[in-house]
Amino acid sequence: MKKSVITMAVLAAVATTLAGCSLAPVYERPAQPVGQAWPAGDAYKGVPAAAADAKPVSQIQWREYFSDEKLRKVIELALVNNRDLRVSVLNIEKAKAQYNIDTAALLPKLSANVSQSASRTPSNMTGTGEAAINRQYNGGLVMSSYELDFFGKVRNQSEAGLQTYLGTEEARRTQQITLVSEVANAYLTLIADQQRLKLAQNTLKSQQTSYDLSKKRFALGVVAGTDMYDAQTSVETARNDAAVYTAQVALDQNALTLLVGSAVPAELLPTGELEEVTQLAAIPAGLPSDLLQARPDVQEAERALRAANANIGVARAAFFPSISLTASGGSASTTLSGLFKAGSSTWSFAPAINLPIFDGGVNRANLNIAKADRDISVAQYEKAVQTAFREVADALATRGTLDERLASQQALVEASQKSYTINEARYNKGADSYLNALVSQRALYTAQQGLISTRLAKTSNAVTLYKVLGGGWQPELPPQQQPQQPQG
């Protein structure tokens, strides 16, 4: 029994040693089909230059980037409760289990076996003229159809499984970065709509006062009816906007609740001004080749490419002979009591070679499919890089013009405020009709709404830059969950 166990262990060791050849192509990362520098031009002149020692965006934790404590807590809730992110984590566990299955094929499978067989021989077939019953008891270890991986079929299957597993981790990172940015933008949008609602309510209050004054003057015959009705249109417009933004604030809160995955506590809802809660850290720029490769979606596309490359090795191995081993060792006896006594040891060894001769072109077709999948993965990787480049370039172009837009919008508000103040004073003194005051008031209201939108655009652009440059919360898996590269 002991000798048979040693023999099977030696066979397994020899098999593992012999298996090592791989027919997969040597992997080479495709050249990135984008420029070596970001676009230049008038749109990008306002982008601040990054410090030489600036930390890469992919290494900036979201806690470092967002300064508002309420927003941080809302993001924490989303990372715990968001269902899309939960699905991504479960997909990692699923891919990890599949990888473990693929890796298990590299080792022989041993099983313990105890069996009994009994047969009866009729009396007319025995020499004694009496029926005979024969029994045999067997017990030992069995190694069933272990394939020697001479041509790397099993190892390449395991490599493809590993890359798929790592790809799901990159997908989770992408989902996580997207979630952080979506929560931040939803939070900022809620603040902006709260400011729009406040502006509409203040405008309604102000215009109601003007309308009441116009009605008194009309009753006294001081002003024409058109002035009173012009004032009324301003009141009703503000009243309508107040109702619209009241509903919009509720919709924003519902959207934030969905992203977070649970109700957001009232104390975490924003109450301040947009610029007070969104003092975001500055983001460094850099070379496209460095920044884009750090994006998890680009890394996920490369993982898929590596898996496709390994699958070519699997398809090529099908053209070569496969050698499988079946062996057993243990003890046999005609009585149960004598099963493991001295002299009862038994063993069997049955190698088998399978040489493909004719398969109707199936192996050739499978190889062509594997090569086509690899070429598709190359194109998808290149598209991922190009999309990443475009997203960063768009965000930088927007960033480069936002300061000028904000300064212009601020100046427009100030000019509109002065115009409205003058025209309202002239109307109150009876030197002018209410029409000019109404026109300047509407211009001021529009300019103030535009200023809120521009401030929102600037803060949202900072969030977008953080996302497209690959930043985000990226915790490492615990050591016991880290995938291990097959040895050999």
Side-chain angles (χ1 to χ4, degrees), residues 1 24 65 81 87 134 153 197-198 273 277 312 333 379 405 433 449 451-452:
M1 177 66 176
Y65 191 70
N81 298 312
V87 170
N134 297 312
K153 175 184 175 182
L197 173 59
K198 183 178 180 181
E273 296 296 320
V277 297
I312 292 178
S333 176
R405 286 173 53 191
S433 68
Q449 292 279 15
L451 181 60
I452 294 173

Side-chain angles (χ1 to χ4, degrees), residues 158-181:
S158 178
E159 174 65 16
L162 173 63
Q163 296 303 326
T164 300
Y165 168 32
L166 296 176
T168 59
E169 170 63 15
E170 301 300 341
R172 182 197 64 83
R173 290 176 58 200
T174 299
Q175 180 67 40
Q176 190 168 261
I177 294 172
T178 300
L179 176 61
V180 169
S181 64

Side-chain angles (χ1 to χ4, degrees), residues 13-35:
V14 171
T16 304
T17 304
L18 291 176
C21 176
S22 175
L23 298 176
V26 176
Y27 176 76
E28 294 183 4
R29 177 184 294 169
Q32 293 188 354
V34 294

Side-chain angles (χ1 to χ4, degrees), residues 29-95:
R29 177 184 294 169
Q32 293 188 354
V34 294
Q36 295 303 308
W38 301 115
D42 293 339
Y44 304 92
K45 290 181 179 179
V47 178
D53 58 347
K55 182 189 295 187
V57 179
S58 59
Q59 297 179 14
I60 300 177
Q61 300 291 316
W62 61 267
R63 290 180 177 278
E64 301 176 50
Y65 191 70
F66 298 100
S67 61
D68 181 66
E69 188 59 31
K70 285 186 178 181
L71 177 55
R72 288 175 179 171
K73 291 182 178 179
V74 172
I75 292 175
E76 285 178 356
L77 286 175
L79 292 174
V80 173
N81 298 312
N82 182 266
R83 298 314 191 266
D84 290 333
L85 186 60
R86 190 172 297 176
V87 170
S88 295
V89 173
L90 293 174
N91 282 334
I92 293 176
E93 294 301 315
K94 178 181 176 181

Side-chain angles (χ1 to χ4, degrees), residues 371-441:
K371 290 181 177 179
D373 285 341
R374 190 268 314 275
D375 294 341
I376 291 171
S377 295
V378 169
Q380 290 173 335
Y381 170 78
E382 293 174 342
K383 179 63 181 296
V385 172
Q386 290 175 336
T387 300
F389 184 90
R390 185 264 173 95
E391 289 176 352
V392 176
D394 286 351
L396 290 176
T398 303
R399 173 66 183 87
T401 58
L402 273 169
D403 285 342
E404 185 175 353
R405 286 173 53 191
L406 188 59
S408 174
Q409 194 67 36
Q410 183 66 54
L412 179 60
V413 170
E414 294 172 358
S416 298
Q417 179 67 61
K418 292 177 182 178
S419 175
Y420 173 61
T421 300
I422 293 173
N423 282 296
E424 186 180 37
R426 287 176 57 82
Y427 169 70
N428 290 335
K429 292 178 180 180
D432 202 350
S433 68
Y434 189 72
L435 179 61
N436 288 334
L438 177 62
V439 171
S440 60
Q441 184 276 326

Side-chain angles (χ1 to χ4, degrees), residues 5 20 23 104 111 145 186 200 213 250 294 298-299 307 315 370 389 410 461 474:
V5 173
L23 298 176
S111 59
S145 299
L213 178 61
V298 173
Q299 294 185 25
F389 184 90
Q410 183 66 54
N461 174 256
Q474 301 169 17

